[in-house]
């Protein structure tokens, strides 16, 4: 545990040194400031008073509530797509860097199991991104709450879902990093998974359109095997809008994907020669 | 750490690198069986590509052997427990540049299982010992190569190792730095630490190590004590007033002759020839100024050994 903690701290140190942490933090801060600017918070007139949001006047509480949730869903969507891309891009170098010749031998010469080295990096990376996501979401949530007096907690679940999908995608980054030590390739493959996800999610439509059973099987197979970035994103929005979520399979199937990919990365890393 | 007579013990240790399609294979280490006693300073020599670094990597479990076994203090090398008493300085190390010297020592010592109190005490001590006391708070990106090498040595010493594995320890270090490193290693050897040096710098190894092994194409081709390997079998005699006729006689007997400030130095191949030569010189009324057994350098032994293998 102590060793893993030291490796997590090292990942933070590297994220700070490579300006990854500050880059994400700066971007989040810029977004929060931009949001503050949009909100034009100059006078808080009380929760019951007419509130102006993005130039729209909303005298009724339920409309205000709807507007707040729309704004929150916009932020969640932005964070889930562009934010995720930036997080993957920023993290892709943190695994190959530790595998550099002259650095990995030194780590391996210590009485540390290889699995700890990899998991220390993985967890450290998740925490670096998790802190930034939390900062952004809490920032936006607080500003909106302050302005409108509405504090829907469902928006905070964006942190959990976004971080969950980031952890799933990071498992791919780790596997590609261990196999090829290429940050560029790790980013390309992970982003490809993000792009293909909404296409694969059209499973029902495609099952009607595809003529042969084997092609439908391939589609279903890909859908169930690969991480469901799109479906989990939809689920996040359902929570934000207070809609009922009935199907949790995108969560567990994506978690299973991450577990298998991460286990493969650990096995390959444990057997690899340096 | 279990008691074992040997710090390092390998049996038929082999590493074969295969190409992706498994059509070509390179036998980097070919069945090396080697036992290094505790407390010994041992030099592991060989030309580039002889398999020295691969051998060390297998000892550290950074590379998995194709065949054979390696024990460190009687424990299988792949067990993390076996690495608890090891200090390692890799060749061409790349310490992350975001660390300060002290931060780097702290991080690697924590991984080595050194507790916080010991780390706090050892870091300034070791920085002082390797001559970097003023550099502890400076980022390693600002260090010269020689300074990084000394910092690397301090890193290897943080956990008070019983076995020190050093890959080209004085690479890039200036002559004064080398002497300094040599002094540190001598002190460590005196305190009972086993030192295993993998190096091209034969003079360094000769000055430091009591035993060496020469590796060629993945095999140990010569092993022995440095003083035995460098001891010559012949004698070098300096005399004055040697008549030309006697010199001619020596030449006929294939005695080597070197002129040293006008005085001949006669190189006899063995004790018998030296005795015969002394008799002849005395009979001719010559004066013998000095007589000493000849010796050779480790470099000469190295070159001779590899030439005989080619």
């Amino acid at each position: 545990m102590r060793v893993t903690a030291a490796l997590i701290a090292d990942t933070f140190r590297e994220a700070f040194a490579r300006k990854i942490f500050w880059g994400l933090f700066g971007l989040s801060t810029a977004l929060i400031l931009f949001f503050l600017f949009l909100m034009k918070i100059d006078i808080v007139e009380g929760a019951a008073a007419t509130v102006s949001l993005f130039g729209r006047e909303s005298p009724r509480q339920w409309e205000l509530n709807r507007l707040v949730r729309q704004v929150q869903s916009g932020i969640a969507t932005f964070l889930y797509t562009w934010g995720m891309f930036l997080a993957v891009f920023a993290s892709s170098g943190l695994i190959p860097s530790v595998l550099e010749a002259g650095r990995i031998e030194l780590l391996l010469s210590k009485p540390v199991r290889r699995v700890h080295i990899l998991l220390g990096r993985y967890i450290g990376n998740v925490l670096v991104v998790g802190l930034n996501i939390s900062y952004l979401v809490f920032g936006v949530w607080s500003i909106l709450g302050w302005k409108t007096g509405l504090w829907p907690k469902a928006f905070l679940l964006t942190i959990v879902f976004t971080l969950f999908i980031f952890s799933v995608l990071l498992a791919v980054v780790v596997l590609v990093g261990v196999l090829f030590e290429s940050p560029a390739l790790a980013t390309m493959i992970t982003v490809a998974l993000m792009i293909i996800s909404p296409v694969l999610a059209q499973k029902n439509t495609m099952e009607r359109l595809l003529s042969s059973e084997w092609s439908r099987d391939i589609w279903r197979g890909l859908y169930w095997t690969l991480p469901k970035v799109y479906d989990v994103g939809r689920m996040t929005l359902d929570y934000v809008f207070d809609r009922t979520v009935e199907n949790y399979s995108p969560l567990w199937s994506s978690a299973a994907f991450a577990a298998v990919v991460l286990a493969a990365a650990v096995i390959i890393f444990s057997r690899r020669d340096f | 750490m279990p008691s074992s007579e040997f710090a390092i013990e390998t049996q038929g240790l082999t590493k074969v690198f295969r190409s992706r399609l498994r059509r070509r294979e390179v036998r980097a280490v070919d069945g090396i069986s080697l036992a290094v006693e505790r407390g010994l300073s041992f030099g592991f020599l060989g030309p580039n590509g002889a398999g020295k670094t691969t051998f060390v990597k297998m000892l550290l479990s950074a590379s998995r052997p194709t065949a054979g076994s390696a024990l460190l203090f009687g424990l299988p090398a792949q067990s993390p427990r076996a690495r608890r008493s090891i200090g390692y300085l890799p060749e061409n190390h790349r310490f992350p540049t975001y660390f300060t010297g002290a931060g780097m020592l702290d991080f690697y010592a924590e991984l080595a299982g050194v507790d916080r109190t010991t780390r706090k005490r050892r870091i300034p001590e070791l920085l002082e010992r390797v001559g970097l006391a003023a550099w502890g708070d400076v980022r390693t990106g600002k260090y010269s190569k020689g300074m990084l090498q000394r910092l690397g040595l301090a890193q290897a010493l943080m956990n008070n190792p019983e076995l020190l594995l050093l890959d080209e320890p004085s690479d890039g270090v200036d002559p004064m730095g080398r002497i300094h490193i040599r002094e540190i290693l001598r002190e460590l050897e005196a305190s009972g630490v086993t030192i295993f040096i993998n190096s091209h710098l034969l003079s360094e190894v000769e000055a430091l190590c009591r035993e060496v092994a020469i590796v060629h194409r993945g095999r140990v081709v010569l092993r022995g004590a440095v003083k035995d390997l460098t001891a010559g079998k012949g004698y070098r005699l300096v005399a004055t007033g040697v008549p030309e006729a006697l010199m001619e006689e020596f030449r006929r007997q294939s005695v080597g002759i070197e002129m040293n400030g006008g005085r001949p130095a006669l190189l006899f191949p063995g004790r018998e020839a030296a005795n015969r030569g002394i008799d002849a010189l005395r009979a001719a009324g010559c004066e013998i100024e000095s007589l000493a057994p000849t010796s050779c350098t480790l470099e000469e032994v190295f070159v001779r050994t590899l030439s005989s293998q080619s």
Side-chain angles (χ1 to χ4, degrees):
Chain A
M1 191 62 200
R2 186 179 42 76
V3 165
T4 311
L7 289 159
I8 290 171
D10 185 49
T11 312
F12 265 84
R13 227 175 274 126
E14 188 166 346
F16 281 122
R18 286 174 173 240
K19 314 287 186 285
I20 291 170
F21 190 93
W22 294 122
L24 293 173
F25 184 79
L27 200 70
S28 301
T29 306
L31 271 170
I32 290 171
L33 290 175
F34 183 63
F35 196 69
L36 260 177
F37 171 73
L38 284 181
M39 295 289 291
K40 296 181 204 163
I41 296 176
D42 46 3
I43 303 165
V44 179
E45 297 172 76
T50 298
V51 178
S52 172
L53 272 171
F54 298 114
R56 284 181 62 183
E57 298 255 316
S58 179
R60 288 198 291 268
Q61 191 67 25
W62 68 269
E63 268 194 23
L64 180 64
N65 186 39
R66 195 159 154 253
L67 195 61
V68 164
R69 285 176 194 273
Q70 271 174 350
V71 171
Q72 288 179 338
S73 76
I75 294 291
T77 307
F78 175 82
L79 188 63
Y80 198 80
T81 49
W82 291 106
M84 187 78 71
F85 170 75
L86 285 175
V88 166
F89 181 73
S91 309
S92 60
L94 286 175
I95 296 296
S97 73
V98 86
L99 303 179
E100 280 177 345
R103 183 170 174 188
I104 185 68
E105 292 91 340
L106 203 51
L107 284 175
L108 295 177
S109 74
K110 305 299 173 196
V112 178
R113 292 196 182 278
R114 289 190 181 195
V115 60
H116 289 286
I117 296 175
L118 209 60
L119 289 184
R121 277 265 135 178
Y122 178 79
I123 297 168
N125 230 321
V126 169
L127 289 177
V128 165
V129 171
L131 280 176
N132 277 290
I133 292 174
S134 305
Y135 168 60
L136 178 59
V137 172
F138 264 112
V140 170
W141 184 70
S142 307
I143 291 166
L144 269 175
W146 178 29
K147 176 72 183 174
T148 64
L150 295 174
W151 303 87
K153 291 191 178 59
F155 180 57
L156 298 179
L157 281 173
T158 305
I159 298 171
V160 178
F161 286 115
T162 309
L163 198 56
F164 168 75
I165 278 296
F166 174 73
S167 311
V168 172
L169 295 175
L170 188 64
V172 180
V173 171
V174 170
L175 178 64
V176 178
V178 165
L179 280 172
F180 304 107
E181 294 179 32
S182 164
L185 190 64
T187 309
M188 281 160 67
I189 292 176
T190 312
V191 171
L193 285 174
M194 287 170 71
I195 292 169
I196 204 173
S197 178
V199 181
L200 288 175
Q202 311 310 313
K203 188 167 60 77
N204 295 337
T205 312
M206 290 313 290
E207 278 183 5
R208 282 198 305 277
L209 292 175
L210 291 168
S211 54
S212 59
E213 191 53 36
W214 65 266
S215 52
R216 281 195 286 269
D217 284 343
I218 288 178
W219 199 276
R220 276 186 219 115
L222 284 172
Y223 174 78
W224 285 109
T225 309
L226 297 177
K228 282 144 204 74
V229 183
Y230 177 78
D231 301 60
V232 176
R234 288 293 300 268
M235 199 181 280
T236 312
L237 293 183
D238 286 343
Y239 271 105
V240 170
F241 281 114
D242 230 357
R243 292 192 289 249
T244 317
V245 177
E246 285 168 359
N247 184 11
Y248 286 92
S249 65
L251 278 183
W252 63 254
S253 60
S254 298
F257 171 86
V260 169
V261 168
L262 205 54
V266 167
I267 291 167
I268 292 166
F269 181 61
S270 301
R271 290 163 171 262
R272 210 183 129 172
D273 286 338
F274 291 97
Chain B
M1 186 59 56
S3 61
S4 167
E5 191 184 340
F6 300 107
I8 299 170
E9 217 178 338
T10 67
Q11 276 296 323
L13 201 63
T14 303
K15 181 70 192 180
V16 178
F17 291 111
R18 292 190 175 89
S19 65
R20 293 232 165 194
L21 299 172
R22 296 187 171 244
R23 285 190 185 147
R24 284 182 57 210
E25 61 175 44
V26 177
R27 209 162 260 272
V29 174
D30 193 2
I32 291 184
S33 297
L34 188 74
V36 177
E37 287 168 35
R38 272 174 182 260
L40 188 68
S41 51
F42 193 91
F44 201 57
L45 312 173
N48 289 333
K52 306 184 299 290
T53 299
T54 307
F55 179 81
V56 172
K57 283 185 178 180
M58 285 193 283
L59 293 182
L60 295 166
S61 199
S63 188
R64 291 149 51 91
T66 310
S69 64
L71 300 176
L72 299 172
F73 299 104
L75 291 168
Q78 60 270 26
S79 126
R81 236 185 104 205
R83 297 196 291 276
R84 270 189 202 155
S85 303
I86 290 177
Y88 173 55
L89 174 64
E91 186 189 15
N92 301 325
H93 46 71
R94 288 182 71 147
F95 302 129
T97 50
Y98 50 81
F99 278 123
T100 61
M104 193 274 256
L105 294 184
D106 188 63
F107 172 63
Y108 286 109
E110 190 173 5
L111 294 187
V114 181
D115 63 77
R116 188 189 292 261
T117 318
T118 313
R119 294 202 306 269
K120 272 195 163 176
R121 181 175 48 81
R122 296 271 296 161
I123 290 169
E125 267 175 26
L126 281 170
L127 283 171
E128 176 80 42
R129 198 168 180 191
V130 298
L132 294 173
W135 289 78
D137 294 329
V138 178
R139 283 185 189 250
T140 56
K142 305 271 184 213
Y143 283 38
S144 70
K145 192 168 183 212
M147 287 162 75
L148 283 173
Q149 205 68 5
R150 284 189 274 161
L151 186 67
L153 180 62
Q155 169 278 135
L157 297 176
M158 275 299 291
N159 59 331
N160 253 329
E162 289 182 54
L163 168 62
L164 204 50
L165 293 165
L166 306 171
D167 210 340
E168 302 291 356
S170 42
D171 190 24
V173 182
D174 59 48
M176 291 310 288
R178 279 183 194 176
I179 292 168
H180 189 193
I181 288 179
R182 203 185 302 159
E183 280 168 6
I184 293 171
L185 295 180
R186 284 216 179 100
E187 283 169 28
L188 289 166
E189 193 202 7
S191 66
V193 175
T194 312
I195 301 171
F196 187 94
I197 299 179
N198 185 352
S199 179
H200 291 104
L201 292 172
L202 300 172
S203 57
E204 284 288 311
V205 173
E206 187 172 353
L208 254 168
C209 298
R210 281 193 283 145
E211 277 193 32
V212 293
I214 296 176
V215 199
H216 185 51
R217 291 178 185 151
R219 291 166 182 256
V220 172
V221 290
L222 184 74
R223 183 194 169 159
V226 173
K227 71 172 171 33
D228 294 341
L229 294 175
T230 55
K233 292 178 183 133
Y235 291 86
R236 188 173 192 275
L237 186 151
V238 179
T240 51
V242 185
E244 193 47 44
L246 189 53
M247 291 284 278
E248 202 50 46
E249 181 59 27
F250 284 140
R251 279 194 196 99
R252 266 204 305 277
Q253 290 171 16
S254 303
V255 173
I257 298 171
E258 284 174 2
M259 292 311 287
N260 188 2
R263 290 172 304 175
L266 306 167
L267 304 169
F268 296 100
R271 189 185 296 175
E272 247 179 64
N275 276 317
R276 276 202 308 272
I278 290 165
D279 291 346
L281 286 164
R282 299 298 293 170
C286 308
E287 202 162 304
I288 294 169
E289 285 199 349
S290 67
L291 176 67
T294 56
S295 64
C296 56
T297 62
L298 191 58
E299 188 170 295
E300 286 164 332
V301 175
F302 182 80
V303 171
R304 203 187 314 135
T305 307
L306 292 188
S307 303
S308 69
Q309 295 290 318
S310 303

